Amino acid sequence: MKIYKTRDYEAMSKKAASVIASQVTLKTDSVLGLATGSTPVGTYKQLIQWYQEGLLDFSDVTSVNLDEYRGLSPENDQSYRYFMNHNLFDHVNIDKNRTYVPDGLEKDSEVACRKYDEIIERVGGIDLQILGLGHNGHIGFNEPSDCFEKTTHCVDLTESTIEANKRFFEKEEDVPRQAYTMGIQTIMKAKMILLLVSGEGKAQILHDVICGPVTPNVPASILQMHPNVIVIADEAALSKIK
Ligand code: F6R
């Protein structure tokens, strides 16, 4: 694991964007594993800016997102498809037909998950996976549990995740209770992983992820076993690591 400390969120975002930009520059047909949430928003903004300045080309890039709420349509402004369109895809020259997000409207969860795994297989796996970190150590929506789930699966979101995500919804009842998420094995098969963490509120969990035991109770701790992980985190998030 390589850990880079940045001054603040802005600097974290710029450094993360540089890693993604070099990936896309060196391998123009990269498969990017993408995340939603507040953490990567600044990174995506920076990528958009560099694209607008003519420094980046996404025309041959494919993307697969980590997760999607079960039951939300792509048009729902809280769906992760909507988030990705709004925060990145609508502003760069990526071919939207090659941007994949689990199908939140597929009611049959076995079908939804199998189809998503087939897509990831078909595109040849992930070159660079971007991850944010949940307050409970989740990556994607792989919530703390007594085992690591391997492939795409349907999860019941924990109360802490519902609590953390309710800020995006009008009422807490509107937060979906389930999601489809890429599994841990799929994430771990990515050639390179970029974990982004910002803010004091994540300092303890980031400490546990990096310094604690590898356990499905802290799903991101599995990243200790991956040969090519870059952590970019700000000073506040790294404040509990000596
Ligand atoms: C989002 C995702 C989640 C978030 C995590 C952190 O696609 O998979 O694991 O990365 O919940 O969210 P933020 O960045 O909002 O703190």
Side-chain angles (χ1 to χ4, degrees):
M1 230 182 225
K2 289 195 189 96
I3 303 171
Y4 295 93
K5 190 193 281 188
T6 63
R7 198 176 55 256
D8 54 16
Y9 177 82
E10 287 255 291
M12 178 201 75
S13 302
K14 201 159 194 172
K15 211 177 213 7
S18 306
V19 174
I20 300 168
S22 45
Q23 172 70 40
V24 169
T25 304
L26 296 174
K27 185 170 188 275
T28 52
D29 61 349
S30 287
V31 177
L32 299 179
L34 298 177
T36 61
S38 39
T39 309
V41 170
T43 303
Y44 296 153
K45 271 202 184 119
Q46 182 63 75
L47 291 174
I48 293 167
Q49 191 191 318
W50 285 337
Y51 164 72
Q52 286 168 346
E53 289 167 4
L55 301 171
L56 278 178
D57 176 14
F58 291 88
S59 57
D60 286 332
V61 167
T62 296
S63 72
V64 283
N65 259 78
L66 281 166
D67 40 21
E68 179 60 286
Y69 286 120
R70 187 178 187 202
L72 295 196
S73 74
E75 294 76 35
N76 186 307
D77 62 5
Q78 294 308 327
S79 74
Y80 286 172
R81 160 57 74 182
Y82 185 97
F83 175 102
M84 288 311 302
N85 287 347
H86 188 72
N87 285 288
L88 183 64
F89 301 153
D90 285 344
H91 311 287
V92 296
N93 65 338
I94 197 164
D95 176 354
K96 277 218 191 126
N97 294 318
R98 284 213 304 266
T99 64
Y100 300 98
V101 179
D103 181 0
L105 285 184
E106 174 56 70
K107 287 207 176 79
D108 185 331
S109 57
E110 264 179 44
V111 173
C113 297
R114 196 189 56 241
K115 278 194 182 159
Y116 205 59
D117 284 334
E118 283 167 6
I119 289 169
I120 298 168
E121 185 80 27
R122 184 159 41 84
V123 301
I126 299 161
D127 290 304
L128 173 62
Q129 176 67 56
I130 289 98
L131 295 175
L133 180 64
H135 286 95
N136 59 5
H138 75 208
I139 43 177
F141 273 136
N142 291 277
E143 299 282 35
S145 143
D146 46 17
C147 66
F148 290 111
E149 290 271 1
K150 294 190 176 76
T151 53
T152 305
H153 55 286
C154 181
V155 277
D156 295 327
L157 303 182
T158 61
E159 278 312 312
S160 85
T161 299
I162 292 167
E163 178 65 27
N165 289 3
K166 74 175 189 206
R167 67 192 195 273
F168 300 114
F169 293 81
E170 240 171 66
K171 301 188 270 352
E172 188 177 329
E173 306 91 86
D174 295 341
V175 188
R177 265 41 188 177
Q178 289 188 312
Y180 296 133
T181 183
M182 215 185 256
I184 292 289
Q185 189 182 62
T186 310
I187 293 171
M188 288 294 281
K189 274 197 200 156
K191 293 195 184 96
M192 196 199 301
I193 294 178
L194 179 56
L195 175 68
L196 306 180
V197 194
S198 170
E200 213 184 325
K202 302 245 177 104
Q204 185 58 50
I205 193 67
L206 182 58
H207 169 275
D208 297 348
V209 165
I210 295 177
C211 308
V214 175
T215 162
N217 274 319
V218 181
S221 63
I222 191 76
L223 299 175
Q224 292 179 33
M225 315 292 283
H226 192 283
N228 199 7
V229 177
I230 295 176
V231 180
I232 304 181
D234 59 20
E235 277 171 11
L238 282 167
S239 59
K240 289 215 155 56
I241 296 174
K242 297 286 160 265

